[in-house]
Amino acid sequence: MITEHKTADVNFESLLRIFTVPEGPDSTLTQIEEKLSRNLNEFLRDHIVAEEKPLRDIEKDFSNATIPEKPEFVSDHTQHLLDTLVSQSVHTSAPSFIGHMTSALPYFLMPLSKIMIALNQNLVKIETSKAFTPLERQVLGMLHRLIYGRDDSFYAQWMHSANHSLGAFCSGGTIANITALWVARNNALKAQGDFQGVEKEGLFKAMKHYGYEGLAVLVSERGHYSLKKAADVLGIGQEGLVAVKTDNQNRICPQALAQRITELKANNIKPFAVIGVAGTTETGNIDPLQAIAKVCQQENCHFHVDAAWGGATLMSNNYRHLLAGVELADSVTIDAHKQLYIPMGAGMVLFKQPDAMKSIEHHAQYILRKGSKDLGSHTLEGSRSGMAMLVYAAMHIISRPGYELLIDQSIDKANYFANLIGQQEDFELVSQPELCLLTYRYVPQRAQNALEKAQGEHRVTLNELINELTKFIQKRQRETGKSFVSRTRLNPAKWDHLNTIVFRVVLANPLTGCDILNHILQQQREIAQQAPKLMAQINHTVEQIFSADNSV
Amino acid sequence: MITEHKTADVNFESLLRIFTVPEGPDSTLTQIEEKLSRNLNEFLRDHIVAEEKPLRDIEKDFSNATIPEKPEFVSDHTQHLLDTLVSQSVHTSAPSFIGHMTSALPYFLMPLSKIMIALNQNLVKIETSKAFTPLERQVLGMLHRLIYGRDDSFYAQWMHSANHSLGAFCSGGTIANITALWVARNNALKAQGDFQGVEKEGLFKAMKHYGYEGLAVLVSERGHYSLKKAADVLGIGQEGLVAVKTDNQNRICPQALAQRITELKANNIKPFAVIGVAGTTETGNIDPLQAIAKVCQQENCHFHVDAAWGGATLMSNNYRHLLAGVELADSVTIDAHKQLYIPMGAGMVLFKQPDAMKSIEHHAQYILRKGSKDLGSHTLEGSRSGMAMLVYAAMHIISRPGYELLIDQSIDKANYFANLIGQQEDFELVSQPELCLLTYRYVPQRAQNALEKAQGEHRVTLNELINELTKFIQKRQRETGKSFVSRTRLNPAKWDHLNTIVFRVVLANPLTGCDILNHILQQQREIAQQAPKLMAQINHTVEQIFSADNSV
């Protein structure tokens, strides 16, 4: 009855087969999948090429913008993917790759992911997700309780309430932060008298109604770059994201915060939200959350905590005190794909008050009808996968004490590494670990002494040369394909806030042993010797500094 | 060296094992995964319980907000997931579940998904994704070419250019639409003279600088609900989303569009974007894109096409003419997780001009450095998974002619079903399929005649009763768990634009055969008889109408 179209090499019967007939047990794809299931680390070691290939060369394999006119066999294409894509991907779970926030994953999550994908639920509404909807609400409830610690009756009342939401599950920390600031903005500019609220009438009318000249969100200088994006997209403008001074530990100065708010208000600019950072991306430090909460209460500001990375620390009863005050926040961002060891794409934002998200609630005729429990009425995203299932499973299989161990050993390891660096004469620890993140650099001992002695231009020159060396070491180490630390730029008080390039290390991978840490330092020391010209320049400058000193 | 923490039932060695030792071949999880790999449809049939359980009961299984203090064995937890979650999930790939835009998936995507998740790349930057970055750029290039058909030299120049982007890969159509409107807003309110652009100074100052009283985005009454969200989040306000009248085929009226623009401008409101819908969610109709493009050119508006669902039609040389004019759009949204048969979470927005996204470009110190090819400098989201790999693989394995067949057979099937409905005396086809989506309802023949005869209140009463019946049938059919059509509310011209509840059917699943369509109608007819009271009311009203008619 249905017309059969015929095209070269493609017919409807063979096409139906890809939907009904699985790959055979001997097929390339099945065998590759089995190898991966038997031993993921071996699979990655065997298939990811260690030596770095220039991006320009990799791009040649991905240069054809035409959608193929001829179908490929699954086995052929799988081999092609192994050769061109997998081989040139990044070994994010390698124990010696300690430069990312992406770590190894528990094995059980791989088959569970496959089940999740095969079920192909759409969490936007119950009709396409059913039990996944209460499951996601429970996961949000668990995280809410981890942060706010409300009692059973609170969760019995609100967790599954149709018109309330304890938070939103989303693709990542950026969308979580945008959601939090969206809620905060709409609550700050809500309906009043004839004005129907910013969500209805828009920002221009809202500003005129409230008589503000501008809006501001305050965060420390160490806030995540995504907040600028949030300020842009929400119509506040990047200038509305006000950077507040930090202390020597990269933590926001509460007095400076209060002062900036006073200044803004004097200029008729409304500071509607303050963001506390719980785990800065570059140094892993945590803002004094209690002090920020106090300022927010006084100033009637929304208090958001960006704990995308550090939030998992709440799982450890030994370290959760580091985030003291987080329970005072109006909203908190946590990424489960960071220190909760879930695959990429599991962000969450939690709200203290179950009705906070009312200001962004939306409904439609054929979906998200009023009174329905559809999750989509409180999310920025529409269609979404059932990722929450993986968080749910990990919570049950690892359990809170298991996460505690993982968190504790990460922090212990960072402290071990900080001590190790401290013991080396030719390394400088730049930021102490507060969580499992630290920064350091390679500086030959005599250069360290010279840097301390030097003043003005001499110091700047020497520091710049050391920056060049740090960049060189980091790139070369990455290119060998055996280990990886990332790099960033800091402005340490110790060095007059000079631009200082540092190695950045995140020690969340439980497979990273102390031997690897020792080895990484040794390798960096050796790589430094592969830049004889730069080393000679450093030595020359060092000697200049000492001779200038002697001549005084 | 690293302290060993001890907690009841959890120790670091057993914890390490979940990262290093795979599930054994006899483990529950491995066996379940194997069963799923051998025969997905059987697995889903066996494990998803057909009979509907009330949501309230399902919620009881997901009511504990405490993160467990005791770890569970993987096998135990897997069984728990099967019993409580999988059993109560939605069989989205069942051939008789024709109410969603979610369909069956090709088998090869399941093992590939597992590989993708095991690699755990983060596409925000090259450092954590390497070859995945050029791959994603190629996928965007392929979709760009499918829409805009530029030549080889165009893609050679722009596809891998560091400071350009042909589009953005994202979690879904909502983020894609928001991204398009974000770009359009920022381009409409760009830097000029002393004004540094809306992205820097925010919407309030932008409006004052340009002297506008408001902003507007125009779309037909049938536009997707997510656009309201977009208008809210971007600070335009939901009132700024102006609904334009549609014709009897649910297509925007270009004259009405031009007139609305004139009215807005007369009120000093800036219409900065018009959205053409290519596949309305409720009826699957396509706006006259060429006519909209003409209006946009005249008015200097950004022209966006929301082809989240219908965009895949471009794969068919037999039907791509239905979207004629899409190549004139400044930006286009396409969801690969709809008619490109990719798992949930694969949205895309494409931009005609390679420099269009400059207005939302952003950089940071430790990532997305200027001149880098990091994808994250042009996406709303930050961390993202390697989903693009699945689109890439499907393009190669299915190929364009394969997709053409899939699209063609879907449309053919919809036409077949429309004819079938037309042949039944007791069914009314409410919207003709243009793509593979149609709407209809069950109305006993005498009631149809009465509805045509009736006027005023009689017609309203009868129509309301039929609405009740449609709702009843749809719910009851869903509850039996054997088949599923969705429902929505339309206002057909034929019935004086009365609120009319209809069954909504999407025929994208290649496994749905004609026998199933016949059976679904038969079942609906039978279910109607299970509402004797409602049927009696309908009959009573019908007789009233005829007797009133006779008495005239």
Side-chain angles (χ1 to χ4, degrees):
Chain A
M1 284 180 288
I2 286 173
T3 329
E4 245 184 57
H5 295 261
K6 288 264 180 237
T7 317
D9 292 320
V10 184
N11 63 65
F12 193 59
E13 283 65 42
S14 71
L15 213 46
L16 262 190
R17 232 170 284 140
I18 64 170
F19 290 91
T20 51
V21 185
E23 303 308 307
D26 299 329
S27 75
T28 312
L29 185 52
T30 306
Q31 288 186 352
I32 288 168
E33 193 197 357
E34 267 175 19
K35 193 179 164 195
L36 178 153
S37 304
R38 268 199 313 274
N39 193 333
L40 177 65
N41 293 317
E42 190 183 276
F43 172 86
L44 297 174
R45 227 173 20 240
D46 287 359
H47 289 284
I48 298 181
V49 174
E51 293 273 323
E52 190 165 277
K53 188 171 164 181
L55 188 60
R56 204 176 299 260
D57 292 347
I58 299 175
E59 282 170 356
K60 286 181 190 145
D61 288 328
F62 301 98
S63 56
N64 191 350
T66 309
I67 298 168
E69 284 290 320
K70 291 248 180 206
E72 281 178 29
F73 286 114
V74 172
S75 53
D76 292 347
H77 188 69
T78 305
Q79 193 57 53
H80 165 78
L81 287 175
L82 279 188
D83 295 343
T84 60
L85 180 70
V86 177
S87 69
Q88 296 300 328
S89 62
V90 179
H91 194 342
T92 53
S93 62
S96 55
F97 280 37
I98 54 174
H100 310 132
M101 289 184 164
T102 317
S103 143
L105 297 175
Y107 255 98
F108 65 83
L109 286 177
M110 258 74 86
L112 286 182
S113 297
K114 193 168 151 190
I115 296 174
M116 184 264 284
I117 282 170
L119 289 171
N120 207 26
Q121 307 290 291
N122 184 348
L123 280 273
V124 72
K125 51 183 170 171
I126 285 169
E127 229 177 56
T128 50
S129 63
K130 235 163 127 186
F132 273 77
T133 288
L135 174 136
E136 187 169 294
R137 283 179 175 267
Q138 184 183 356
V139 168
L140 292 169
M142 284 172 153
L143 269 299
H144 190 281
R145 189 167 205 159
L146 182 69
I147 297 164
Y148 298 108
R150 303 297 300 266
D151 62 12
D152 284 342
S153 67
F154 177 89
Y155 297 99
Q157 184 173 4
W158 303 115
M159 200 159 70
H160 294 291
S161 166
N163 298 311
H164 298 82
S165 182
L166 298 179
F169 203 97
C170 53
S171 66
T174 300
I175 299 293
N177 283 338
I178 292 175
T179 304
L181 291 177
W182 181 24
V183 167
R185 186 200 69 181
N186 285 13
N187 279 326
L189 303 173
K190 61 170 176 260
Q192 188 188 59
D194 284 345
F195 176 65
Q196 294 179 73
V198 65
E199 66 274 24
K200 288 256 174 1
E201 299 197 28
L203 206 52
F204 186 58
K205 287 189 183 159
M207 299 291 278
K208 288 201 292 189
H209 172 81
Y210 279 98
Y212 302 137
E213 277 300 312
L215 296 173
V217 176
L218 295 99
V219 66
S220 91
E221 309 164 313
R222 298 271 157 236
H224 193 250
Y225 77 92
S226 68
L227 298 171
K228 268 201 179 169
K229 245 196 289 192
D232 172 2
V233 80
L234 290 166
I236 297 154
Q238 290 164 9
E239 286 179 356
L241 185 75
V242 178
V244 181
K245 207 174 68 160
T246 51
D247 64 16
N248 293 345
Q249 267 88 48
N250 302 295
R251 298 179 190 128
I252 199 168
C253 301
Q255 277 165 319
L257 173 66
Q259 200 189 320
R260 292 294 269 143
I261 290 178
T262 307
E263 288 163 14
L264 289 163
K265 283 162 69 182
N267 289 311
N268 195 23
I269 292 168
K270 166 78 177 172
F272 72 95
V274 177
I275 300 169
V277 187
T280 59
T281 314
E282 288 162 288
T283 57
N285 294 112
I286 300 163
D287 278 338
L289 303 179
Q290 285 167 319
I292 300 178
K294 210 172 153 192
V295 174
C296 286
Q297 274 159 9
Q298 280 161 0
E299 301 288 350
N300 195 23
C301 273
H302 182 104
F303 175 29
H304 176 65
V305 173
D306 181 358
W309 180 68
T313 312
L314 296 170
M315 289 285 200
S316 167
N317 292 340
N318 304 310
Y319 287 109
R320 72 166 288 148
H321 68 270
L322 294 175
L323 275 79
V326 70
E327 72 284 357
L328 303 169
D330 296 298
S331 56
V332 179
T333 288
I334 293 185
D335 271 350
H337 58 239
K338 295 194 171 105
Q339 287 193 89
L340 290 176
Y341 301 92
I342 302 297
M344 200 52 62
M348 278 172 275
V349 57
L350 290 310
F351 288 86
K352 186 177 194 170
Q353 302 299 344
D355 59 359
M357 296 191 92
K358 281 245 184 275
S359 67
I360 59 148
E361 197 173 88
H362 45 267
H363 299 282
Q365 188 39 236
Y366 63 104
I367 144 175
L368 320 178
R369 299 181 185 98
K370 280 200 178 176
S372 86
K373 295 185 175 184
D374 294 339
L375 291 162
S377 53
H378 293 103
T379 56
L380 181 58
E381 291 167 280
S383 298
R384 282 184 307 109
S385 75
M387 282 297 287
M389 164 186 162
L390 304 184
V391 183
Y392 176 89
M395 297 272 198
H396 283 84
I397 292 170
I398 299 177
S399 81
R400 192 209 50 81
Y403 274 117
E404 176 171 283
L405 267 183
L406 290 168
I407 296 290
D408 290 359
Q409 66 91 25
S410 295
I411 297 178
D412 288 352
K413 209 185 300 176
N415 286 324
Y416 166 82
F417 196 35
N419 285 334
L420 187 69
I421 292 165
Q423 286 160 21
Q424 317 298 311
E425 289 179 342
D426 48 357
F427 280 92
E428 181 200 351
L429 185 70
V430 179
S431 67
Q432 279 283 352
E434 190 169 355
L435 299 174
C436 68
L437 204 165
L438 59 85
T439 64
Y440 68 103
R441 60 178 179 169
Y442 173 77
V443 192
Q445 195 184 6
R446 206 169 147 73
Q448 282 186 46
N449 297 341
L451 206 55
E452 272 172 30
K453 270 212 162 67
Q455 308 229 323
E457 248 182 68
H458 273 314
R459 183 179 259 190
V460 174
T461 307
L462 181 56
N463 198 58
E464 271 307 311
L465 288 169
I466 297 168
N467 282 348
E468 285 307 305
L469 183 64
T470 311
K471 265 200 232 180
F472 172 82
I473 296 172
Q474 191 266 349
K475 277 190 184 170
R476 181 62 64 92
Q477 192 168 35
R478 187 186 73 203
E479 282 160 12
T480 65
K482 283 179 194 131
S483 37
F484 171 74
V485 303
S486 53
R487 70 168 203 269
T488 191
R489 197 181 72 189
L490 298 177
N491 301 81
K494 183 181 175 188
W495 304 123
D496 306 335
H497 304 285
L498 287 179
N499 284 340
T500 301
I501 311 278
V502 293
F503 303 130
R504 170 176 166 277
V505 151
V506 188
L507 290 163
N509 191 335
L511 307 181
T512 306
C514 298
D515 50 332
I516 288 176
L517 302 178
N518 276 285
H519 181 74
I520 280 178
L521 295 185
Q522 189 51 40
Q523 205 188 15
Q524 291 175 331
R525 189 177 278 132
E526 283 163 19
I527 293 174
Q529 305 314 316
Q530 295 164 22
K533 221 169 134 182
L534 199 49
M535 288 296 276
Q537 280 180 284
I538 289 174
N539 286 335
H540 179 71
T541 312
V542 166
E543 296 318 321
Q544 278 188 313
I545 289 167
F546 281 118
S547 62
D549 189 58
N550 288 338
S551 70
V552 172
Chain B
M1 285 178 286
I2 286 172
T3 329
E4 245 183 57
H5 296 262
K6 289 265 179 235
T7 317
D9 291 321
V10 184
N11 63 65
F12 193 59
E13 282 65 42
S14 71
L15 212 47
L16 262 190
R17 233 171 283 140
I18 64 171
F19 289 90
T20 51
V21 185
E23 302 308 307
D26 300 329
S27 75
T28 312
L29 185 52
T30 306
Q31 288 187 353
I32 287 167
E33 193 197 359
E34 268 175 18
K35 191 177 166 197
L36 179 152
S37 305
R38 268 199 313 277
N39 193 333
L40 177 65
N41 293 317
E42 189 183 279
F43 171 86
L44 297 174
R45 227 172 21 239
D46 287 0
H47 290 283
I48 298 181
V49 174
E51 294 271 324
E52 191 164 276
K53 188 170 163 179
L55 189 60
R56 202 175 301 260
D57 292 348
I58 299 175
E59 283 170 356
K60 286 181 190 146
D61 288 328
F62 301 98
S63 57
N64 191 349
T66 308
I67 298 168
E69 284 290 321
K70 291 249 180 205
E72 280 178 31
F73 285 114
V74 173
S75 52
D76 292 348
H77 187 69
T78 305
Q79 193 58 52
H80 164 78
L81 287 175
L82 278 187
D83 295 342
T84 59
L85 180 70
V86 178
S87 69
Q88 296 300 327
S89 62
V90 179
H91 194 342
T92 54
S93 61
S96 56
F97 280 37
I98 53 175
H100 310 133
M101 289 184 165
T102 316
S103 143
L105 297 174
Y107 255 98
F108 65 83
L109 286 177
M110 258 74 85
L112 287 182
S113 297
K114 194 169 150 188
I115 296 173
M116 185 264 286
I117 282 170
L119 290 171
N120 207 26
Q121 307 291 291
N122 183 347
L123 281 270
V124 72
K125 51 181 170 172
I126 285 169
E127 227 176 58
T128 49
S129 64
K130 234 164 129 187
F132 273 77
T133 288
L135 174 136
E136 186 170 293
R137 283 180 175 266
Q138 184 184 356
V139 168
L140 292 169
M142 284 172 153
L143 269 297
H144 190 280
R145 189 168 204 158
L146 182 69
I147 296 164
Y148 298 109
R150 303 297 300 267
D151 63 11
D152 285 342
S153 67
F154 177 89
Y155 297 99
Q157 184 173 4
W158 303 115
M159 201 159 72
H160 294 292
S161 167
N163 298 310
H164 298 83
S165 182
L166 298 180
F169 203 97
C170 53
S171 65
T174 299
I175 299 293
N177 283 338
I178 291 175
T179 303
L181 291 177
W182 181 24
V183 166
R185 186 201 70 182
N186 285 13
N187 279 326
L189 303 174
K190 61 170 176 261
Q192 188 188 60
D194 284 345
F195 177 64
Q196 296 180 72
V198 65
E199 66 275 23
K200 289 257 175 0
E201 299 197 27
L203 206 53
F204 186 58
K205 287 189 184 159
M207 300 291 279
K208 287 201 293 186
H209 172 81
Y210 279 98
Y212 302 136
E213 276 301 311
L215 295 173
V217 176
L218 296 99
V219 65
S220 91
E221 308 164 314
R222 297 272 158 236
H224 193 250
Y225 76 93
S226 68
L227 298 170
K228 268 201 181 170
K229 246 196 289 191
D232 172 2
V233 80
L234 290 166
I236 298 154
Q238 290 164 8
E239 285 179 356
L241 185 75
V242 178
V244 181
K245 208 175 66 159
T246 50
D247 64 17
N248 293 345
Q249 268 87 47
N250 301 296
R251 298 179 191 129
I252 198 168
C253 302
Q255 278 166 318
L257 173 66
Q259 199 189 319
R260 292 293 269 144
I261 290 178
T262 307
E263 288 163 15
L264 289 163
K265 282 162 71 182
N267 288 311
N268 195 23
I269 291 168
K270 167 77 178 173
F272 71 95
V274 177
I275 300 169
V277 188
T280 59
T281 313
E282 289 162 288
T283 57
N285 294 111
I286 300 164
D287 278 337
L289 303 180
Q290 285 166 319
I292 300 179
K294 210 172 152 191
V295 173
C296 286
Q297 273 157 11
Q298 279 162 0
E299 301 287 351
N300 195 23
C301 273
H302 183 104
F303 174 29
H304 176 65
V305 172
D306 181 358
W309 180 68
T313 312
L314 295 169
M315 289 284 201
S316 167
N317 292 340
N318 303 309
Y319 288 109
R320 72 166 286 147
H321 67 271
L322 293 174
L323 274 79
V326 70
E327 71 284 357
L328 304 169
D330 295 299
S331 56
V332 179
T333 289
I334 294 185
D335 270 350
H337 58 238
K338 294 196 170 104
Q339 287 193 88
L340 290 177
Y341 302 93
I342 302 298
M344 200 52 62
M348 278 171 277
V349 57
L350 289 312
F351 288 87
K352 187 177 194 170
Q353 302 299 344
D355 59 358
M357 296 190 92
K358 281 247 184 273
S359 66
I360 60 148
E361 198 174 86
H362 45 267
H363 299 282
Q365 188 39 236
Y366 63 103
I367 140 178
L368 320 178
R369 299 181 186 100
K370 280 199 179 177
S372 86
K373 295 186 176 184
D374 293 340
L375 290 162
S377 52
H378 292 104
T379 56
L380 180 58
E381 291 167 281
S383 299
R384 283 183 308 109
S385 75
M387 281 298 286
M389 165 186 162
L390 304 184
V391 183
Y392 176 89
M395 297 274 197
H396 283 85
I397 292 170
I398 299 176
S399 80
R400 193 212 46 84
Y403 274 118
E404 175 172 283
L405 267 182
L406 289 168
I407 296 290
D408 290 0
Q409 66 91 25
S410 295
I411 297 178
D412 289 352
K413 209 184 300 176
N415 286 324
Y416 167 84
F417 196 36
N419 284 334
L420 187 69
I421 292 165
Q423 286 159 21
Q424 317 298 311
E425 289 178 342
D426 48 357
F427 280 92
E428 179 200 353
L429 184 69
V430 179
S431 66
Q432 278 283 353
E434 188 169 355
L435 298 174
C436 69
L437 203 165
L438 58 86
T439 63
Y440 68 102
R441 59 178 181 169
Y442 173 78
V443 192
Q445 195 183 6
R446 208 171 146 72
Q448 282 185 48
N449 297 340
L451 206 55
E452 272 172 31
K453 271 211 161 68
Q455 308 232 322
E457 248 182 68
H458 272 314
R459 182 179 259 190
V460 174
T461 307
L462 181 56
N463 199 58
E464 270 306 311
L465 287 169
I466 296 167
N467 282 348
E468 285 307 304
L469 182 64
T470 311
K471 264 199 233 181
F472 172 81
I473 296 172
Q474 192 267 348
K475 276 190 185 172
R476 180 63 64 92
Q477 192 169 34
R478 188 186 72 202
E479 283 160 11
T480 64
K482 282 179 196 131
S483 38
F484 171 74
V485 302
S486 52
R487 70 168 203 269
T488 190
R489 197 181 72 188
L490 298 177
N491 301 82
K494 183 180 173 187
W495 304 122
D496 307 336
H497 305 282
L498 287 178
N499 283 339
T500 302
I501 311 277
V502 294
F503 304 130
R504 169 175 166 276
V505 152
V506 188
L507 290 162
N509 191 335
L511 308 180
T512 306
C514 296
D515 50 332
I516 288 176
L517 302 179
N518 277 285
H519 181 74
I520 280 179
L521 295 185
Q522 188 51 39
Q523 206 187 17
Q524 291 175 332
R525 189 177 277 131
E526 285 163 18
I527 293 173
Q529 306 314 316
Q530 294 164 23
K533 222 170 134 182
L534 199 48
M535 288 297 275
Q537 281 180 283
I538 289 173
N539 287 333
H540 178 72
T541 312
V542 166
E543 297 318 320
Q544 278 187 314
I545 288 166
F546 283 117
S547 63
D549 188 58
N550 289 339
S551 71
V552 173

